[in-house]
Amino acid sequence: MQDNATEVTAAGIARLAGVGRAAVSNWRRRHADFPRPVGGTETSPAFALAEVEEWLRRHRKLAEVPLKERVWQQLAGHPDGPVTALVHAGCALLLIHDRPPVWLDISSGTDERLAALLPTALDEVLTPRVPGSARPGRTDRSRVNGQNPVNTQPAATPVTPVTPATPATPATPATPATPATPPTPALAIPTAPRLLPSVPLLRGVAELAADRGARPTFEFLLGRHLDANPRQYTLTPPDLAGLMAALAGTPATVLDPSCGTGALLRAVADRPDRRLHAQDSSPELAALTALRLALHTRAPVHAAAGDTLRADAYPGLRADAVLCHPPFNERNWGHDDLAYDPRWEYGFPARTESELAWVQHALARLRDGGTAVLLMPPAVASRRSGRRIRADLLRRGALRAVVALPAGAAPPYSVPLHLWVLRRPDRTHAQPELLLVDAGRFTAEGRGGPDWPGVRETVLDAWGAFDRDGGVEERPGVARSVPVIELLDDDVDLTPARRLPPPADTDGAGRLADVRARLDETLRLTAELAPPPAEPVPPAASGRLPLTTVGELARAGALVMRTGGHGGRARVPVLTDHDVLAGTAPSGTLPESEEEPVLTEPGDVVLPVLGGGAVARVVDDATAGAVLGRNLVLLRPDPAALDAWYLAGFLRGTANHRQASSYASTATRLDVRRLQLPRLAPDEQRRYGERFHALDAFERALREAGRLGEQLVRGMYDGLTDGTIAPE
């Protein structure tokens, strides 16, 4: 076995064989010839993928695995790590996309021949598409510096030092700091030795691209990688990226100085003369963004890796637009190193105001009249340490709009973030005004995210009118253009909710009367649906019924078992684990990809596998057609063999869940295959099913009564405190 063989975890083996992880553990104990671990840890061992596949074939346990799953396993278990594998795959996909005959020619021979010829072919493709890409054969500085070898490239020419300027506000003399590493090209063309271990993966990726296309294949692999490592990346949701790009208009030159995975630049409308510039402090993200954008557009993609504030890769750029989702609440952003930086035209940011440093960097990289749109935490609009900079941004007309987004728009999802729209002043405004918009009313219940069509329409309508006419018609609680002079007080608080008049509520009492009527009706229905007194089973009739398991029923063909996916088609509602637990309508979203989603059908039984709650939901006509979300398992019973309500009811038993669950230090995971239910005749199944169905209706009525009761109480408190309801 080669030392650099692709590795796979026990979870990956389970997916390859179409079984649960418990089955893999049993195989390891029962079969002496099961492959030995080649890596990982004692609690999470890794195995050589080739040895595992051979063992599964020999024992006739290898399932018909889709090509995409096999390719993903190769990528996830790559000996140099999944990011290196993803970069190599992206390079090959770009070659397949741009010059398919070249790929067919160099891939027709041996693996060694492909690895030897691929760097030259990539050089010819990447040079015009990603200018500045490092060529093969140059010094590998990342190895010299002990860095991650994903981006093995030489450093770019260091940024020319600028003449020190006097800071806008006096600063304490900074202690000498280590000079920042100069920015480097984001993408390095890998050499033949680096590519050789990836050749089997690249052949699989090419086969997948022949069926799906090069761009969807890369989006699928990137989406799976991001989904598998949610804590490593802060993503910009597609709907938010689209809104920010729409606020920027149709620029020809666009910069994202904190590009992440490239979502903002990908959302910009394409045009023939467009030029994209990206930079990120993470070499991994910079490389992935360069490849993602190159596959998405024919425009040249200038991408660099480096700390933007300390080592700007584009000091001479004057872009038409800057889009930015900067890191929040950073203390180590360069405060001590950058006291005399000429970018601080509006004041030297305090150590706690890293976001205002990003704001001024964006303005410094704009042409006169150019537009910048930044995602900001709401505290930036009101922190006292930033009031002087906010005041100067207002006086000079640089800050044009502050938009309060609904909670759930982007991570952290519990916080209603802001959008700042800025414009580099090209003229002096006689009476400058600031547009304030509050889209908080579009917050959706549950975890499904905001009502994005409503957010987009409200924000773009207000910004379009303000940008065109210099002001907007006041909409209480939604939008208002405020003269800057009103904002220049001691606090310079720009929070929209504190500056907008409250929405007019002319019929608050009438709405509450309607809620009260619905609550009365729901309480009446709840009383009717309450189950009759329980009748105990006589001891002589309470013998233990023969049991079977979900796993046995699946093997016998009585039901089909599916798990939630990692992506799917855009704008299809997703049934989440929270929806199942709360009994609400599908409210979630998944990363957009070409992965075939699992769609629910009437009669399906859906169970969450995390959290320990004994819950099972039968899909009805209203829920049918939704995409099955993550951490959910779907059981599709054969109606001739199993009654859906009988199945769901017995799977909800507390003792049943307890014996089928495994426990970690912080989480409980359900092994659905181990859930048990009695073997009953069809008539007896239906008798139990009718009772379980009635209990479900009672449970739904109780939930609705609780929701209406909370709404009535909240409305009464609000009405009494704002004077729209009399206390009598």
Side-chain angles (χ1 to χ4, degrees):
M1 183 189 67
Q2 297 179 359
D3 291 338
N4 61 355
T6 298
E7 298 176 2
V8 63
T9 63
I13 297 174
R15 281 192 289 267
L16 287 171
V19 299
R21 293 186 62 177
V24 178
S25 299
N26 289 334
W27 293 343
R28 293 185 64 198
R29 288 193 300 266
R30 293 169 50 194
H31 297 275
D33 62 337
F34 193 87
R36 301 298 179 189
V38 297
T41 64
E42 184 176 349
T43 57
S44 180
F47 306 83
L49 179 59
E51 291 184 358
V52 168
E53 289 183 331
E54 175 59 28
W55 188 89
L56 292 173
R57 288 191 186 95
R58 191 165 63 248
H59 289 263
R60 298 182 178 180
K61 299 181 183 296
L62 187 63
E64 288 297 326
V65 182
L67 174 63
K68 63 182 182 181
E69 185 63 36
R70 192 176 299 274
V71 170
W72 167 249
Q73 290 298 331
Q74 290 178 313
L75 187 145
H78 193 281
D80 289 333
V83 176
T84 296
L86 193 54
V87 171
H88 291 179
C91 290
L93 287 168
L94 187 58
L95 177 62
I96 294 169
H97 182 268
D98 283 10
R99 301 186 182 183
V102 175
W103 169 261
L104 292 175
D105 177 48
I106 66 175
S107 63
S108 60
T110 64
D111 289 357
E112 290 74 12
R113 178 177 182 270
L114 174 56
L117 296 178
L118 190 53
T120 302
L122 292 176
D123 189 6
E124 296 175 355
V125 171
L126 288 171
T127 297
R129 301 299 304 282
V130 187
S133 300
R135 309 295 189 269
R138 292 187 179 179
T139 304
D140 190 344
R141 288 175 57 97
S142 64
R143 290 192 182 275
V144 174
N145 296 331
Q147 298 170 356
N148 188 319
V150 171
N151 297 291
T152 54
Q153 72 277 331
T157 303
V159 179
T160 303
V162 295
T163 303
T166 303
T169 58
T172 303
T175 58
T178 303
T181 302
T184 62
L187 195 59
I189 300 174
T191 60
R194 294 294 307 284
L195 283 169
L196 186 57
S198 300
V199 168
L201 166 67
L202 301 185
R203 293 191 186 279
V205 165
E207 187 179 351
L208 192 59
D211 178 52
R212 291 169 163 251
R215 183 188 304 166
T217 297
F218 186 76
E219 290 294 325
F220 160 70
L221 295 174
L222 176 61
R224 284 289 293 268
H225 173 68
L226 297 176
D227 188 66
N229 302 276
R231 296 185 180 181
Q232 295 184 22
Y233 306 102
T234 300
L235 305 181
T236 307
D239 289 304
L240 175 58
L243 174 60
M244 294 175 66
L247 287 169
T250 56
T253 304
V254 190
L255 167 68
D256 185 347
S258 180
C259 62
T261 60
L264 291 175
L265 293 177
R266 186 172 177 263
V268 177
D270 203 2
R271 52 184 289 178
D273 59 342
R274 190 176 69 175
R275 296 181 302 281
L276 303 178
H277 295 77
Q279 184 172 352
D280 199 275
S281 59
S282 166
E284 296 179 356
L285 291 178
L288 294 177
T289 291
L291 289 167
R292 188 183 194 188
L293 295 175
L295 282 164
H296 181 70
T297 178
R298 299 297 304 182
V301 178
H302 302 267
D307 186 323
T308 296
L309 294 181
R310 287 189 174 94
D312 183 14
Y314 311 106
L317 179 66
R318 294 298 177 264
D320 298 313
V322 174
L323 301 175
C324 187
H325 178 174
F328 296 161
N329 303 317
E330 276 201 337
R331 293 299 182 97
N332 186 28
W333 59 267
H335 178 271
D336 294 339
D337 309 337
L338 302 172
Y340 297 96
D341 197 290
R343 287 173 292 183
W344 315 141
E345 297 182 43
Y346 302 88
F348 181 45
R351 189 184 302 277
T352 57
E353 294 287 354
S354 62
E355 296 86 3
L356 292 179
W358 285 98
V359 164
Q360 296 192 73
H361 173 80
L363 286 168
R365 294 296 160 262
L366 286 173
R367 64 165 175 81
D368 290 346
T371 301
V373 184
L374 285 86
L375 184 66
M376 307 289 276
V380 183
S382 58
R383 279 195 298 242
R384 289 191 61 81
S385 55
R387 65 187 186 277
R388 292 185 180 179
I389 295 178
R390 293 196 299 271
D392 208 31
L393 289 169
L394 292 172
R395 290 190 192 96
R396 298 171 61 179
L399 181 58
R400 307 298 295 140
V402 175
V403 177
L405 296 170
Y413 290 107
S414 60
V415 177
L417 301 175
H418 288 181
L419 288 179
W420 283 26
V421 183
L422 303 110
R423 183 159 288 162
R424 185 169 181 82
D426 57 350
R427 58 187 176 86
T428 301
H429 295 268
Q431 294 180 333
E433 296 190 348
L434 177 71
L435 173 65
L436 297 177
V437 180
D438 189 350
R441 65 192 181 104
F442 295 104
T443 301
E445 294 184 3
R447 298 189 308 177
D451 172 15
W452 278 112
V455 174
R456 185 179 177 93
E457 180 181 4
T458 298
V459 173
L460 293 183
D461 283 353
W463 170 250
F466 180 81
D467 193 34
R468 181 182 62 251
D469 305 329
V472 296
E473 182 178 349
E474 183 177 292
R475 296 177 58 188
V478 178
R480 177 192 175 201
S481 54
V482 184
V484 165
I485 193 64
E486 293 185 17
L487 302 170
L488 297 177
D489 52 19
D490 290 341
D491 295 324
V492 196
D493 191 338
L494 309 182
T495 306
R498 295 171 185 162
R499 300 288 182 174
L500 293 173
D505 191 356
T506 57
D507 192 27
R511 287 189 298 102
L512 290 181
D514 179 63
V515 172
R516 175 59 187 265
R518 290 162 56 198
L519 177 60
D520 290 342
E521 177 64 20
T522 303
L523 291 174
R524 182 190 61 77
L525 178 63
T526 303
E528 293 177 359
L529 293 173
E535 297 181 4
V537 177
S542 60
R544 185 174 178 83
L545 295 171
L547 300 176
T548 186
T549 66
V550 169
E552 292 172 351
L553 292 171
R555 286 191 291 272
L559 57 83
V560 175
M561 183 173 172
R562 304 290 298 275
T563 57
H566 299 270
R569 304 185 186 100
R571 304 195 182 282
V572 177
V574 175
L575 184 68
T576 68
D577 54 347
H578 182 272
D579 299 330
V580 174
L581 293 169
T584 55
S587 64
T589 58
L590 284 175
E592 182 180 350
S593 75
E594 293 300 315
E595 182 177 357
E596 192 65 27
V598 178
L599 301 180
T600 58
E601 296 179 3
D604 290 344
V605 178
V606 180
L607 301 90
V609 296
L610 294 180
V615 176
R617 177 172 175 177
V618 178
V619 175
D620 55 16
D621 291 333
T623 310
V627 175
L628 188 68
R630 290 168 289 186
N631 301 323
L632 290 176
V633 171
L634 178 147
L635 304 178
R636 184 163 292 159
D638 180 356
L642 291 172
D643 180 83
W645 285 103
Y646 146 80
L647 175 64
F650 274 101
L651 297 187
R652 288 193 62 170
T654 302
N656 200 3
H657 267 248
R658 187 180 300 117
Q659 64 84 28
S661 296
S662 59
Y663 304 93
S665 58
T666 58
T668 302
R669 186 171 187 88
L670 177 68
D671 185 350
V672 176
R673 292 176 177 271
R674 294 172 55 187
L675 288 170
Q676 300 174 336
L677 62 159
R679 299 179 184 270
L680 298 178
D683 289 344
E684 192 70 4
Q685 288 185 29
R686 283 190 288 272
R687 193 165 73 91
Y688 272 99
E690 289 173 359
R691 187 65 181 271
F692 287 138
H693 196 174
L695 283 174
D696 179 79
F698 176 61
E699 184 179 35
R700 289 173 182 265
L702 285 175
R703 283 201 194 100
E704 180 67 7
R707 187 184 67 82
L708 290 171
E710 290 179 0
Q711 187 176 343
L712 179 62
V713 170
R714 184 171 62 249
M716 289 295 296
Y717 270 111
D718 290 345
L720 288 168
T721 55
D722 63 21
T724 58
I725 296 177
E728 291 82 6

